[in-house]
Amino acid sequence: MTVTWQTHWRARIAVLGSALVTLAGSLAIVAAGAGEARAAMPFGQLDPAVVSQFKLHAGTTFADNDKAITAVEAQGAVTVQNSTQVLTSGGRTGINNLCHTTGLAPSLSPAGFCWDKGDDTSNSWTDTGGWTPQGLTGSYDAQPDGKVDGRTALLASWHFSRGMQGPSPVPNEFARVSLVNAEGGQIRYNHLLLVKPTVDANGKGSFTRVSSHADGVVWYGNRVFVANGRWLQVFDLRHIWKVNSSTEAVGITGTTSSARWSNYALPMIGEYVTTSDGGACSTTTGDRPCLNSLSLDRSGQDGLVSAEFKPGAAGGRVIRWALDANSALPYGHATVGYSSPIWGMQGAATDGTDYYLAGDCPSGVGGGSGDPSGAPFSCIHKAQPNAAPHVLTTSPVYTQNLGYSPSTGRIWGLNERINSTTGARVVFSINR
């Protein structure tokens, strides 16, 4: 369906407790005829002079982590594997259909799957904590033909938090990614704990947990990029570590390796920051953009597309970062940026012509989700640069990151909704 985009009268209650934004801060609604896409604000291009100030700084992190990875792998406490070995190793079994209400327009031929019961219902609001999905990418990003070793695969990012409604919350305690084999009419997947490799003065290697919200994620060649605010963390799927024990511990003790009950650990090979002086990133203003959602754009020169989440408001920036296809790493500078009129923008992807933006729905759209919490559907908006967006479709409650598959012409996404009784999470794709 196509719904005229209007300005919000409400703000979404963010998962981590964002406050409501009042109607007084809203923009005036502009009336539009059926099928049109008029709004008070366009998806406006940023001044190139501002965009030229956006930088990614790596420092010595790649050299430091390479030394530590070499030390770990020389000790024999982990077995080095690659993505294909993990994808073909079995693992957890998902449900190969959209097992929950999604709000996706039937005309867009929605398809997708659900996680197993434990991952569908995990709850970070409890004292024991739980995992929450955030970002999605897949073989559609990894290779131009949309396959990895002939397989259709997905990769999702998650963060682990606990006690988020209590007096002493512990956010983003751990992070992981999930490699999903979607071939043969089945959904089989494994979790990989994200870790930071270490080496001591005696040359002994180990690893520690990565504390990250694990917002956006992109699989590019063998690289996996994970966005975490001012950080862009980089991993390499040629260095997946199969550990030899399953305990709560993280790291290597003697000849024993463990990754907090996971069979696999994925070590960080390097890290970029949007500000080299250690300062915090900024949302909507300044030269230190936040990296929240992440997607890949293969139109023209390859690039990462990041987007800023601003709870209960518009103005988050969508920024394209140039990639070096030879090294599969960023050049370190942005090439173009936009200011989005979508409130609570959670995801952004592009096919090279249009942008697809996940966020809050306009007034009068998104009701009827039937969610026990009363939360409405999210919306996926469609826009071209310097033009007003319109709603392409409603989408699952709390839709997060989006991605685009050039080989199939489909938009991919997932949602993070917590329902510890019945579950409410899906991974979906639609025909744009």
Side-chain angles (χ1 to χ4, degrees):
M1 65 180 176
T2 299
V3 181
T4 302
W5 189 92
Q6 301 172 357
T7 311
H8 294 264
W9 59 267
R10 66 180 183 272
R12 171 191 151 192
I13 301 176
V15 172
L16 299 182
S18 299
L20 289 173
V21 173
T22 64
L23 176 61
S26 300
L27 296 167
I29 296 173
V30 177
E36 294 182 280
R38 298 175 185 166
M41 290 179 60
F43 182 65
Q45 187 168 340
L46 298 175
D47 184 342
V50 173
V51 175
S52 67
Q53 300 176 59
F54 300 157
K55 305 292 183 183
L56 296 172
H57 310 270
T60 63
T61 60
F62 283 86
D64 295 343
N65 286 14
D66 181 67
K67 180 180 178 181
I69 289 171
T70 299
V72 170
E73 295 179 355
Q75 290 171 208
V78 300
T79 302
V80 180
Q81 297 195 345
N82 59 36
S83 60
T84 297
Q85 289 172 293
V86 176
L87 286 168
T88 56
S89 67
R92 295 171 179 258
T93 301
I95 301 171
N96 195 22
N97 60 68
L98 294 172
C99 68
H100 300 301
T101 301
T102 67
L104 297 165
S107 61
L108 301 180
S109 303
F113 67 87
C114 292
W115 306 103
D116 74 5
K117 183 70 172 181
D119 291 326
D120 196 358
T121 59
S122 60
N123 191 341
S124 60
W125 300 92
T126 64
D127 290 339
T128 55
W131 291 95
T132 304
Q134 292 291 289
L136 184 72
T137 182
S139 54
Y140 58 81
D141 282 336
Q143 298 295 335
D145 67 357
K147 300 280 188 176
V148 170
D149 288 345
R151 293 179 180 82
T152 298
L154 286 303
L155 188 150
S157 60
W158 308 64
H159 67 83
F160 182 93
S161 301
R162 53 191 170 93
M164 298 307 295
Q165 284 182 318
S168 302
V170 183
N172 311 325
E173 190 173 7
F174 301 93
R176 74 183 184 194
V177 296
S178 303
L179 270 172
V180 183
N181 188 339
E183 288 291 316
Q186 291 187 320
I187 301 297
R188 302 298 299 274
Y189 64 96
N190 283 278
H191 299 311
L192 290 65
L193 186 73
L194 299 184
V195 299
K196 179 175 175 56
T198 63
V199 59
D200 64 19
N202 297 318
K204 184 178 180 179
S206 187
F207 53 89
T208 60
R209 65 185 172 91
V210 168
S211 178
S212 169
H213 196 66
D215 281 331
V217 62
V218 162
W219 182 358
Y220 183 61
N222 290 305
R223 312 292 196 193
V224 172
F225 300 103
V226 176
N228 181 37
R230 60 183 287 264
W231 293 276
L232 179 66
Q233 299 161 337
V234 188
F235 304 81
D236 193 318
L237 293 174
R238 293 170 296 187
H239 292 276
I240 298 171
W241 292 341
K242 192 174 191 307
V243 297
N244 58 23
S245 71
S246 179
T247 69
E248 188 176 7
V250 178
I252 298 174
T253 301
T255 60
T256 300
S257 58
S258 183
R260 197 176 184 273
W261 297 307
S262 176
N263 292 325
Y264 303 94
L266 184 62
M268 187 189 304
I269 66 168
E271 187 173 46
Y272 297 88
V273 293
T274 58
T275 167
S276 60
D277 61 7
C281 62
S282 58
T283 302
T284 74
T285 60
D287 60 357
R288 301 170 174 178
C290 286
L291 308 176
N292 298 129
S293 88
L294 206 63
S295 63
L296 182 70
D297 179 11
R298 284 192 180 271
S299 64
Q301 182 188 30
D302 294 349
L304 293 174
V305 176
S306 67
E308 296 176 323
F309 169 63
K310 187 174 183 181
R317 294 172 294 185
V318 177
I319 299 167
R320 194 181 193 280
W321 306 86
L323 282 170
D324 181 349
N326 293 318
S327 67
L329 291 171
Y331 282 110
H333 64 271
T335 58
V336 67
Y338 303 92
S339 179
S340 172
I342 305 304
W343 283 48
M345 180 173 60
Q346 293 275 17
T350 182
D351 59 13
T353 301
D354 296 304
Y355 279 81
Y356 302 86
L357 311 166
D360 294 348
C361 293
S363 175
V365 181
S369 73
D371 192 90
S373 71
F377 287 123
S378 295
C379 277
I380 298 175
H381 310 252
K382 183 177 180 179
Q384 292 189 354
N386 299 317
H390 64 265
V391 173
L392 178 66
T393 178
T394 53
S395 63
V397 174
Y398 299 159
T399 295
Q400 298 295 296
N401 285 197
L402 301 177
Y404 170 66
S405 170
S407 60
T408 64
R410 294 179 72 85
I411 300 295
W412 283 87
L414 52 57
N415 71 323
E416 69 169 14
R417 171 74 179 110
I418 294 172
N419 187 322
S420 57
T421 302
T422 64
R425 294 169 178 162
V426 296
V427 175
F428 65 88
S429 71
I430 54 174
N431 187 336
R432 77 192 194 287

